[in-house]
Amino acid sequence: MKVRGERECQSCGARWSYYETGSVECPDCGALRSVGVDDRTAHTDAPATLDLTPHRVRFGEARGTLPEEGVDDLKADLREYARKRGFIRGGDLLPLDDTYLAARELLEAVDLYDRLRDPTDRDREYLLALLAGADDGDRPPTEAVPESLREARGMAAVRAVDEYRSDLLAFLDELSATEDGEAADADASAPTVSVDGDDPRSRIDPTRELLERLRDRTKRAEALTGDVPPGDADALVDAADALGDYVRTGDEAALDRARDRLSDAET
């Protein structure tokens, strides 16, 4: 969507950033009548924080299967966080960040772990390592993913890459409507997205081409319900993030990195 990020309350005159609060309600007086005082920009990200401290306390002493009530609460918090997140904020394209990836992987891992008939110590250590670090964006390294839970890594990559790819395509649509720093839409007073560097429109076709390849590789992983080598799953994520870097900066090295990681995912 396109929003005016800087709001002004029509009741008390206070100003605030919609990008920070995600609300048109005045933070000073609570009034719901406000107006935007800047140009519209593309925006898909909502304010969201991930605090897993209560769940770490609950699961820290768990052995074998997890407490059912606790699992449901954890999944609900992770889904709510993922639902709010997007990758365009105030016209800027964001990276595919580690906290979002870790939340996605933990959501998949909890569900998969809970269905294991006889989880091992390694399975439990992996799950608790995810729980310990997800809100700080820390995930176990590729080689630490247990064979019995590798579908969690794979499906987390599928979900995350699909969401990022969708926002990146929307960003490219906005970028293609911009010419010489002016919005192509006569009703708009300024571009709705922004990037660094010269000739940003030259980045659109190479990115779209690689996004098609990325979609194909992601669909293959999804068809296998994520049961792919963890290194292949990580390669999909790295390729998506590198494409975002290329669009933001125009750095050809990022485009080459995306191609290389897609090739890694094909092997």
Side-chain angles (χ1 to χ4, degrees):
M1 63 179 177
K2 300 172 188 175
V3 300
R4 299 184 188 276
E6 187 175 355
R7 311 296 301 180
E8 182 176 282
C9 179
Q10 292 187 300
S11 295
C12 71
R15 288 193 175 191
W16 71 96
S17 172
Y18 176 87
Y19 304 136
E20 294 178 1
T21 67
S23 174
V24 296
E25 179 180 330
C26 176
D28 286 4
C29 71
L32 294 176
R33 296 186 63 190
S34 65
V35 294
V37 295
D38 60 349
D39 295 315
R40 294 184 185 275
T41 57
H43 185 72
T44 63
D45 191 38
T49 57
L50 185 64
D51 182 6
L52 299 176
T53 303
H55 302 293
R56 283 192 285 270
V57 173
R58 177 179 292 164
F59 292 142
E61 300 302 321
R63 294 292 185 271
T65 58
L66 301 175
E68 182 175 347
E69 181 181 353
V71 168
D72 291 341
D73 290 345
L74 175 57
K75 287 181 180 179
D77 286 350
L78 291 168
R79 288 193 183 103
E80 178 68 7
Y81 173 79
R83 183 189 65 80
K84 289 181 177 180
R85 287 297 316 278
F87 301 100
I88 305 174
R89 182 184 300 156
D92 294 330
L93 180 65
L94 303 176
L96 180 48
D97 62 275
D98 291 335
T99 300
Y100 181 81
L101 289 167
R104 280 287 186 187
E105 185 170 347
L106 180 56
L107 179 58
E108 298 290 341
V110 168
D111 185 58
L112 190 56
Y113 181 93
D114 209 36
R115 290 186 277 113
L116 292 178
R117 177 174 298 180
D118 188 19
T120 66
D121 288 344
R122 188 183 178 202
D123 296 333
R124 181 175 179 276
E125 289 169 2
Y126 162 75
L127 181 66
L128 293 182
L130 269 174
L131 183 60
D135 38 11
D136 289 326
D138 293 331
R139 297 193 296 162
T142 307
E143 61 273 11
V145 179
E147 184 74 16
S148 57
L149 292 174
R150 75 176 193 169
E151 290 180 26
R153 189 76 149 215
M155 285 309 299
V158 167
R159 307 291 187 213
V161 168
D162 276 349
E163 292 296 327
Y164 194 74
R165 180 178 171 276
S166 177
D167 271 13
L168 184 46
L169 284 170
F171 191 92
L172 292 175
D173 287 343
E174 294 297 325
L175 194 61
S176 68
T178 302
E179 185 173 3
D180 297 328
E182 297 294 335
D185 185 349
D187 294 331
S189 58
T192 59
V193 296
S194 60
V195 296
D196 295 330
D198 299 326
D199 195 16
R201 296 188 69 181
S202 67
R203 308 168 199 173
I204 295 174
D205 287 344
T207 303
R208 288 189 185 278
E209 179 184 348
L210 289 184
L211 283 174
E212 286 298 306
R213 289 178 57 191
L214 180 61
R215 182 194 63 178
D216 292 343
R217 304 298 172 264
T218 305
K219 289 296 184 185
R220 291 181 188 178
E222 185 177 21
L224 295 169
T225 62
D227 190 12
V228 298
D232 289 1
D234 290 351
L236 293 174
V237 169
D238 292 344
D241 193 44
L243 284 174
D245 189 15
Y246 171 64
V247 171
R248 279 192 303 274
T249 66
D251 184 358
E252 293 289 337
L255 187 64
D256 291 340
R257 188 166 68 252
R259 290 194 183 100
D260 290 344
R261 294 304 277 153
L262 277 173
S263 296
D264 291 340
E266 294 170 3
T267 58

